[in-house]
Amino acid sequence: MIEINKEIKELLFLGPSGSYCEAAKNQFIGFFPSKDIEQKPFSTVKSIIEYVKANESAAAVIPIENSIEGIVRETMDNLLNINDYALQITAETVIPINHCLVSKAGSIQKIKKIISHPQALAQCQKFISRYFPSDIEQIEKASTSRAAQELAELDDSYAAIANARTAELFDLNILAKNINDEKDNKTRFILLSGWTTTPTGSDKTSIAFATKNQPGSLVKVLNVFDSLNINLMYIDSRPSKKNLGEYVFFTDFEGHIKDEPTQKVLDLIKLNTNYIKFLGSYRKF
């Protein structure tokens, strides 16, 4: 459990209903002492973050990393654009991903087009290549549940990749179950809010940084963790979108922002970076 030190009246998630993000939201809702919280589905990560930035009593659940496809680019890019330093990651959870092929059609032979979130499409390529021609149209949507919902407005030549719950919610047939290329497929979701957490003794801290344009700058940053014997749990990069060849690195490491070793890490990292952003400290899943 996490300690809530701020009243939350709204909890947002990437919808519509039936999404994996809703499943993560259902886990996080148990953290809140109040049961009178309005739960709102939003269509994009950007719109969710913009709403939370403007509403102090709101929190949000968004995907950040998939065990197969890696970081969720939309989430990472929008986290960098948050200027409100009070807004941060305050919890995480992991949801197993079990994709199904759903449709109004009664058989897989009728399907001519497949719609879903781009990561879901990427995670089911072996299944798609086995059962469909190489030129089948694959159409990207904002979420797997949004794709399933949109089938209501499409003819039965369309199918969506989504979870089994969407078939029940939107009155669809499940044409195939567990179609992931990798069966041990999981997505990590974060809870984004304006409250600060207290150390639990089993925490991680997330930051983003850009190194100076000098030889060995990244190595010097990584050596800080080694010299202080701090476990670096995760590192990935995204283009800075400023200059070609410049990158922002996303890093998770053990410790809490209120711990002395974490403060020392951040102080030393600043010597070899030209940008650093604290994203949150929270209990490890």
Side-chain angles (χ1 to χ4, degrees), residues 25 30 41 50 63 74 89 95 146 181 191 210 244 273 280:
K25 179 267 297 179
E50 289 298 321
E74 184 185 7
I89 303 170
I95 299 294
R146 178 68 62 190
D181 295 343
L191 182 64
L244 184 65
T273 59

Side-chain angles (χ1 to χ4, degrees), residues 13 15 17 24 34-35 59-60 82 100 134-135 138 156 182 198 212-213 245 263-264:
F13 65 97
S17 296
S34 172
K35 302 306 177 186
I82 297 176
C100 299
S134 59
D135 61 347
Q138 300 178 48
D156 62 4
E182 303 292 338
T198 54
K212 296 179 179 179
N213 189 17
Q263 288 289 341
K264 192 170 184 179

